[in-house]
Amino acid sequence: MGSWGRLLLAPVVLLAGCTAAGAPATPATRAASAPASPAAGGPTGCAARVEEGRLPDWADAGFSGDTRMPHVFGAKGEIVAVLFGHPLAVGRTEGPSNKILWVARPAATPSPDPSASATLVITATLDGTTTRVTREVAGGPGPSIIDVPRAGCWHLELRWSGRTDTMDLVYAAA
């Protein structure tokens, strides 16, 4: 490569290295090409991506000052799990509990079914298995303690007020 090529390539490399750091937090999605698990009948792989930056404006009500908290976005961006007990753990006997504050993005339109339960229903499936548990947060998204029976990556299906989203959360062994 000639001197002109190197001269033109340097700013491109520098610019490419600078753009990713300022990227806004976006919902995590499970890879579309994830292989199907014969045992569970669904995708495998874990798309749990814990963000450490600021909570989005729509999720920081009630917080004061810097709203940097570990959190995970739903795949559709309809809900965020704010992790007060980070890292989440199975069999924890000391330290923080698996406290999660669920914050739903304000709905753009009223619920398509006004009779739909506001209760947040969480159906969690352990990656690569048929192990499934259901947890409920009465009154809809809000504070909760969500424990699961085994360590690993859990695929969560979230339903509340006629709305849905999904996310993956990792629980470590204590």
Side-chain angles (χ1 to χ4, degrees), residues 36-162:
S37 164
T44 61
C46 193
R49 190 175 91 201
V50 177
E51 301 281 340
E52 298 284 343
R54 292 180 46 84
L55 293 172
D57 290 341
W58 55 266
D60 69 0
F63 288 92
S64 60
D66 188 11
T67 59
R68 292 180 189 277
M69 295 284 301
H71 58 281
V72 177
F73 284 96
K76 295 192 299 189
E78 293 296 314
I79 196 165
V80 65
V82 183
L83 308 177
F84 284 85
H86 182 64
L88 301 172
V90 174
R92 185 187 321 242
T93 57
E94 293 184 19
S97 61
N98 292 321
K99 182 177 179 182
I100 300 173
L101 173 63
W102 302 95
V103 183
R105 179 187 293 271
T109 59
S111 173
D113 180 5
S115 66
S117 173
T119 297
L120 172 62
V121 178
I122 304 165
T123 304
T125 305
L126 181 60
D127 184 50
T129 74
T130 58
T131 302
R132 181 175 287 195
V133 297
T134 301
R135 303 291 185 252
E136 293 186 356
V137 180
S144 68
I145 304 294
I146 304 296
D147 292 322
V148 294
R150 292 179 38 199
C153 179
W154 288 83
H155 305 298
L156 279 58
E157 295 174 12
L158 309 158
R159 295 183 314 280
W160 73 101
S161 301

